[in-house]
């Protein structure tokens, strides 16, 4: 055998082993930092485009002569395509390269905002916002991969904190930005405000992100069925969440049909993803206890944070008559400290002595304490009364979001980044839709219940107090000699009081529900997930030859 081998080696060409494929991960330095910050800015631009136009919808409707019902479809369609795009983005940026895909989507998103204020009707505006939502939804999954791929292991948790900024800092900054652009620049800038920041983000990404190659050979195994079935399925389910309460849920044929066909298509999509050789995300990840706890917690935590942000805005607008510019300080109290709290929590969780599960449980207790303080809400509250609640959320939001993302990402292997990225971001977007649906349904139903109880109580005991007179009529009697006019105004004022009290009681009920939900999530994350450790650089002898997707 040795003779044969030596005979074969005589005169035969020398065959060398194929060199390892380049990883296209540049040495970490200032240029990489600029590229990552550009990607982070692009994701914030997409978030501002979502939240600012959603919060300022009433002003946009007044300027564009759009009715209330039509305006809700503008939001629902944008959110549907925004969330659906997150599920399919990782496959496309792996094919077209992170560098080209990110710059292209950011540019298209900014360009589509230019004609938005000049759309002639609601249909054309909805179509434009659908494409804009599609491009905006492509950016958050790229940010997660960029932070995990290009940052060294020692500071990768800070990258997770940067990604968490899009869920805590950006969402709370939407209301102050809407107030500034509308009051100072005009309603057109509710659409145009993303243009200068998008241009800056593109310049930073063009300079800092590595120009990795494109892989068009991936189209040979393109998952056509998953795209054709999954995109309309996710869009249908998101529309159900945004339009369900307004259309009275399953009493509406539209909601019924979208739920049935969208649910059936989503089941087909999940089955296809489980067996397709080139899936958009791997359903098998749900077998991991850490993934189960992290993804369930991510949806719940972001929904809790969104509802806690909606309650003060709803109360101050409906009861106190505040404009967004007057409500803005309440959101700024949560938003601005995140620039300090997120790096601090990331540095704290980056220590191997710290168990992120206990940090997460502590954050849930902070949110539960904030909800408990909210149960003292009365019609006498003003903006300053919400500051203690918001200060607790300053600590609670980063303490919950960062450990949850650590549990979801740090338990994965080197090549799992793109597959977990799409799943995490789709559920992150879905949390906003769930929060919108829950807040609308709970507010309406509890307000109706308390209104009925208050009116029933007044009808039962009204005669017992008749001898004491009607204080509303007594105060209004001096304004007009017409007794019929005074009686009509008295009835209107009485119903205004009932509405305010019913709304406050409904918001109190929501705070009580949030307390128990927060405590439930705190217990779940102490029991279900296993501990994960912050990553550290491996010795050179243990490093993989081709770390194309380093996690």
């Amino acid at each position: 055998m040795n003779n044969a081998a030596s005979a074969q080696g005589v005169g035969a060409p020398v065959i060398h082993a194929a060199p390892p494929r380049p990883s296209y991960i540049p040495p970490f330095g200032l240029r990489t930092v600029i590229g990552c910050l550009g990607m982070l800015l692009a994701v914030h631009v997409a978030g501002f485009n979502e939240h600012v136009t959603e919060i300022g919808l009433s002003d946009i409707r007044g300027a564009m002569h759009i009715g209330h019902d039509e305006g809700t479809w503008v939001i629902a369609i944008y959110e549907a395509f925004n969330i659906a795009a997150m599920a399919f983005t990782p496959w496309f940026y792996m094919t077209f390269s992170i560098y080209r895909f990110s710059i292209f989507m950011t540019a298209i998103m900014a360009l589509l905002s230019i004609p938005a204020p000049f759309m002639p009707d609601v249909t054309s505006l909805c179509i434009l916002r659908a494409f804009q939502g599609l491009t905006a939804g492509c950016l958050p999954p790229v940010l997660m991969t960029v932070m995990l791929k290009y940052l060294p292991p020692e500071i990768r948790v800070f990258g997770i904190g940067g990604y968490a900024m899009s869920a805590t800092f950006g969402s709370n900054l939407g209301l102050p930005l809407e107030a500034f652009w509308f009051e100072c620049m005009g309603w057109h800038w509710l659409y145009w405000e993303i243009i200068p920041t998008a241009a800056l983000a593109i310049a930073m990404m063009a300079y800092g992100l590595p120009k990795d190659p494109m892989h068009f050979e991936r189209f040979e195994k393109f998952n056509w069925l998953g795209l054709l079935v999954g995109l309309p399925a996710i869009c249908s389910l998101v529309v159900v969440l945004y339009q369900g309460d307004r259309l009275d849920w399953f009493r509406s044929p539209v909601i019924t049909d979208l739920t049935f066909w969208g649910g059936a298509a989503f089941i087909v999509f999940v089955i296809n993803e489980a067996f397709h050789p080139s899936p958009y995300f791997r359903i098998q990840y749900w077998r991991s206890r850490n993934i189960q706890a992290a993804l369930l917690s991510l949806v719940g935590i972001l929904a809790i944070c969104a509802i806690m942000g909606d309650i003060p805005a709803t109360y101050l607008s409906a009861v106190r008559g505040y404009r967004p510019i007057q409500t803005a300080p309440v959101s700024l109290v949560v938003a601005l400290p995140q620039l300090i709290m997120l790096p601090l929590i990331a540095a704290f969780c980056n220590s191997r002595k710290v168990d992120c599960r206990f940090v997460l449980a502590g954050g849930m207790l902070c949110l539960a304490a904030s909800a408990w303080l909210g149960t003292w809400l009365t019609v006498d509250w003003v903006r300053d009364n919400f500051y203690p609640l918001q200060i607790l959320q300053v600590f609670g939001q980063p303490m919950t979001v960062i450990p949850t993302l650590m549990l979801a990402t740090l338990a994965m292997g080197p090549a799992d980044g793109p597959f977990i990225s799409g799943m995490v971001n789709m559920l992150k977007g879905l949390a906003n839709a769930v929060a919108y649906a829950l807040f609308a349904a709970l507010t309406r139903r509890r307000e109706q219940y308390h209104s009925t109880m208050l009116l029933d109580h007044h009808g039962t005991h009204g005669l017992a107090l008749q001898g004491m007179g009607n204080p509303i009529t007594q105060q209004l009697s001096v304004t007009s000699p017409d007794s019929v006019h005074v009686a009509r105004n008295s009835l209107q004022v009485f119903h205004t009081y009932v509405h305010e009290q019913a709304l406050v009681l409904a918001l109190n009920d929501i705070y009580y529900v949030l307390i128990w939900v927060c405590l439930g999530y705190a217990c779940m994350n102490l029991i279900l997930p296993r501990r994960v450790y912050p990553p550290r650089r491996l010795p050179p002898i243990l490093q993989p030859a081709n770390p194309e997707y380093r996690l």
Side-chain angles (χ1 to χ4, degrees):
M1 182 174 181
N2 293 334
N3 296 333
S6 57
Q8 183 180 1
V10 176
V14 178
I15 301 176
H16 299 281
R21 294 175 56 193
S23 64
Y24 299 101
I25 300 178
F28 182 73
L30 179 61
R31 187 164 186 168
T32 305
V33 172
I34 293 175
C36 293
L37 292 178
M39 192 70 243
L40 178 62
L41 179 60
V43 172
H44 279 301
V45 170
F48 296 153
N49 182 52
E50 173 187 358
H51 296 296
V52 171
T53 52
E54 180 179 347
I55 296 171
L57 181 63
S58 58
D59 297 320
I60 293 174
R61 287 193 294 106
M64 300 185 70
H65 308 289
I66 298 175
H68 175 269
D69 292 345
E70 294 84 354
T72 60
W73 281 104
V74 175
I75 294 179
I77 291 176
Y78 178 91
E79 294 292 343
F81 282 89
N82 183 41
I83 295 172
M86 297 180 183
F88 306 100
T89 293
W91 192 95
F92 287 95
Y93 72 65
M94 292 171 62
T95 303
F96 295 102
S97 79
I98 291 177
Y99 172 81
R100 297 171 182 83
F101 185 81
S102 304
I103 293 176
F104 178 77
M105 289 300 172
T106 306
I108 296 299
M109 178 186 64
L111 291 175
L112 288 176
S113 65
I114 297 176
F118 308 111
M119 289 293 102
D121 50 37
V122 177
T123 303
S124 57
L125 180 62
C126 288
I127 295 174
L128 185 143
R129 291 291 287 174
F131 282 103
Q132 199 171 29
L134 194 67
T135 56
C138 292
L139 297 176
V142 185
L143 173 64
M144 174 174 283
T145 301
V146 165
M147 292 298 183
L148 296 175
K149 180 179 179 181
Y150 297 143
L151 295 182
E154 295 84 359
I155 61 172
R156 199 162 293 159
V157 175
F158 290 92
I160 295 175
Y163 175 80
M165 188 179 293
S166 64
T168 58
F169 175 75
S171 59
N172 288 297
L173 201 61
L175 181 62
L177 284 178
E178 192 279 338
F180 171 77
W181 289 116
F182 182 79
E183 299 293 341
C184 300
M185 303 296 293
W187 72 273
H188 296 80
W189 283 92
L190 298 179
Y191 291 110
W192 294 344
E193 49 97 16
I194 68 171
I195 297 176
T197 47
L200 178 60
I202 291 173
M204 297 172 67
M205 289 187 294
Y207 173 77
L209 292 181
K211 300 177 176 61
D212 42 345
M214 294 183 288
H215 299 282
F216 291 118
E217 67 276 5
R218 291 171 53 83
F219 277 102
E220 297 176 0
K221 297 181 179 180
F222 184 63
N223 189 356
W224 291 102
L225 179 61
L227 181 64
L228 296 177
V229 176
L231 183 64
I234 298 173
C235 289
S236 299
L237 296 179
V238 173
V239 169
V240 167
L241 291 174
Y242 273 94
Q243 294 289 334
D245 189 70
R246 185 181 69 84
L247 298 177
D248 204 9
W249 296 102
F250 297 107
R251 292 181 178 88
S252 168
V254 175
I255 298 300
T256 303
D257 292 341
L258 287 177
T259 303
F260 177 78
W261 294 109
F266 189 78
I267 293 174
V268 174
F269 172 67
V270 170
I271 296 174
N272 177 75
E273 294 303 293
F275 297 100
H276 198 277
S278 180
Y280 295 105
F281 49 77
R282 299 189 185 278
I283 305 300
Q284 292 81 359
Y285 290 155
W286 282 91
R287 297 174 183 173
S288 169
R289 292 171 56 180
N290 281 42
I291 296 299
Q292 295 172 12
L295 297 183
L296 291 175
S297 298
L298 185 66
V299 175
I301 289 169
L302 294 180
I304 291 170
C305 294
I307 292 175
M308 284 189 169
D310 289 338
I311 291 178
T314 301
Y315 169 83
L316 293 175
S317 174
V319 177
R320 289 293 173 182
Y322 280 22
R323 289 281 302 155
I325 195 170
Q326 297 170 303
T327 312
V330 178
S331 297
L332 287 175
V333 168
V334 180
L336 295 182
Q338 298 301 318
L339 298 175
I340 300 175
M341 288 303 303
L342 284 167
L344 288 179
I345 299 299
F348 185 69
C349 293
N350 201 32
S351 173
R352 297 182 71 85
K353 298 179 181 179
V354 176
D355 191 342
C356 67
R357 297 174 299 177
F358 292 100
V359 178
L360 198 159
M364 296 308 304
L365 293 180
C366 288
L367 295 180
S370 176
W372 179 76
L373 291 179
T375 59
W376 298 84
L377 176 66
T378 67
V379 293
D380 298 322
W381 275 33
V382 292
R383 182 178 61 197
D384 296 349
N385 295 103
F386 287 98
Y387 289 155
L389 284 70
Q390 303 298 86
I391 292 174
L392 285 171
Q393 294 180 44
V394 169
F395 297 92
Q397 291 190 14
M399 289 176 64
T400 53
V401 176
I402 292 179
T404 302
L405 293 174
M406 290 178 63
L407 291 173
T409 57
L410 299 184
M412 294 289 97
D416 296 325
F419 299 104
I420 194 66
S421 174
M423 190 183 303
V424 167
N425 283 275
M426 185 188 73
L427 293 177
K428 172 178 170 287
L430 196 63
N432 292 327
V434 172
Y436 184 94
L438 287 177
F439 184 71
L442 289 175
T443 303
R444 179 174 64 89
R445 293 184 180 276
R446 297 306 299 172
E447 184 181 354
Q448 290 175 350
Y449 169 79
H450 288 297
S451 178
T452 301
M453 292 297 102
L454 289 172
L455 291 174
D456 180 73
H457 186 75
H458 174 267
T460 303
H461 301 281
L463 294 178
L465 302 175
Q466 189 174 8
M468 302 178 61
N470 188 338
I472 299 176
T473 303
Q474 292 174 1
Q475 293 185 13
L476 294 179
S477 59
V478 298
T479 61
S480 175
D482 188 353
S483 59
V484 177
H485 180 70
V486 171
R488 184 169 60 250
N489 288 346
S490 300
L491 186 62
Q492 184 177 359
V493 171
F494 171 73
H495 282 288
T496 301
Y497 288 156
V498 171
H499 168 70
E500 291 177 354
Q501 293 287 349
L503 178 61
V504 168
L505 291 172
L507 297 179
N508 274 318
D509 291 343
I510 295 176
Y511 273 128
Y512 275 112
V513 172
L514 292 179
I515 292 174
W516 293 107
V517 173
C518 292
L519 295 178
Y521 271 112
C523 295
M524 184 190 74
N525 283 282
L526 290 176
I527 299 173
L528 183 59
R530 296 183 176 89
R531 183 178 181 181
V532 296
Y533 293 89
R536 292 293 182 266
R537 189 180 300 276
L538 296 175
I541 192 173
L542 298 178
Q543 289 186 4
N546 180 29
E548 185 170 357
Y549 287 102
R550 298 189 310 180
L551 288 178

